[in-house]
Amino acid sequence: MKKPCLKPAHALSAAVIAAGLALSACSSEPAAPAAATAEAPATAQDAFFANLTALCGQRFEGKVVTNEAADSDFAGKRLLMHVRDCSADEIRIPFWVGEDRSRTWVVTRTEAGLRLKHDHRQPDGKTDPLHWYGGDTANEGTAERQEFPVDQESIDLFNANDASVSTTSGRWRSTPTRPSPMNCAVRTATSRSIST
């Protein structure tokens, strides 16, 4: 069975402050078959969430493919994301950088759409000062792409922690695509994404 591969895409901030992270590699686990559903999703956001849920239990390994100074903390390190802890309203995606397992991306359903937040932890499990940043969808998006503009709470958090580079009209973009199960992680100062 062919392994699913990560390809460069617009992606989600894992380090919060730096710009320009890109992943490109193959997963370490074969793709699991997606569960069949009896009814079609009601909205594009429901379809997006279903596409992401179909990846539950899979993990994908990648590497930095840019030369930007902002990516130097990730360069040469093993990058691994694992789509897991999936429920009807929340998907948790741990993201590891080398031995650093402090980051988890959390996608949840809200009354108005979807929310993407970062659960960022210290090595002892306590919350990091830059914890629970992200944003909510501002429009319907598509089954393949959702954007999460950085919310005011996150901007305030970044400013309070001297991380103002992350406040520049950022958007978190998520793009589930098939047949390649996970395109993940390119960051720039003006966009953030998670892609499937």
Side-chain angles (χ1 to χ4, degrees):
M1 173 181 271
K2 186 176 177 181
K3 292 183 179 180
C5 290
L6 290 170
K7 296 184 180 178
H10 305 92
L12 173 56
S13 166
V16 182
I17 301 169
L21 169 66
L23 297 179
S24 178
C26 290
S27 75
S28 57
E29 296 180 354
T37 57
E39 54 188 70
T43 68
Q45 290 169 342
D46 290 337
F48 177 88
F49 197 88
N51 287 341
L52 191 56
T53 299
L55 300 176
C56 203
Q58 297 181 58
R59 63 182 181 175
F60 305 92
E61 188 168 342
K63 64 182 178 179
V64 173
V65 295
T66 69
N67 295 334
E68 296 181 29
D71 298 332
S72 62
D73 289 347
F74 288 46
K77 294 183 180 168
R78 180 180 186 225
L79 305 178
L80 183 73
M81 61 177 289
H82 189 175
V83 182
R84 67 177 190 202
D85 300 329
C86 304
S87 72
D89 295 317
E90 180 179 275
I91 301 168
R92 299 181 70 81
I93 306 168
F95 178 63
W96 302 348
V97 179
E99 296 301 313
D100 180 355
R101 298 178 177 190
S102 65
R103 301 162 178 89
T104 300
W105 304 329
V106 182
V107 179
T108 55
R109 293 180 189 270
T110 67
E111 287 184 22
L114 298 174
R115 174 173 293 142
L116 173 63
K117 290 286 187 167
H118 295 67
D119 181 352
H120 198 84
R121 303 283 172 158
Q122 298 289 335
D124 63 3
K126 293 180 182 172
T127 58
D128 188 86
L130 291 175
H131 172 73
W132 217 240
Y133 56 90
D136 292 356
T137 52
N139 58 45
E140 179 69 15
T142 70
E144 292 78 34
R145 183 180 180 120
Q146 295 291 319
E147 293 192 7
F148 303 85
V150 176
D151 60 26
Q152 188 60 50
E153 177 184 13
S154 298
I155 291 170
D156 294 344
L157 177 69
F158 296 142
N159 287 333
N161 287 280
D162 212 17
S164 60
V165 69
S166 295
T167 65
T168 56
S169 64
R171 294 192 178 273
W172 311 96
R173 292 190 185 104
S174 296
T175 311
T177 57
R178 307 223 177 220
S180 176
M182 187 60 76
N183 291 327
C184 183
V186 171
R187 278 188 305 122
T188 68
T190 59
S191 69
R192 313 286 189 270
S193 301
I194 182 178
S195 305
T196 62

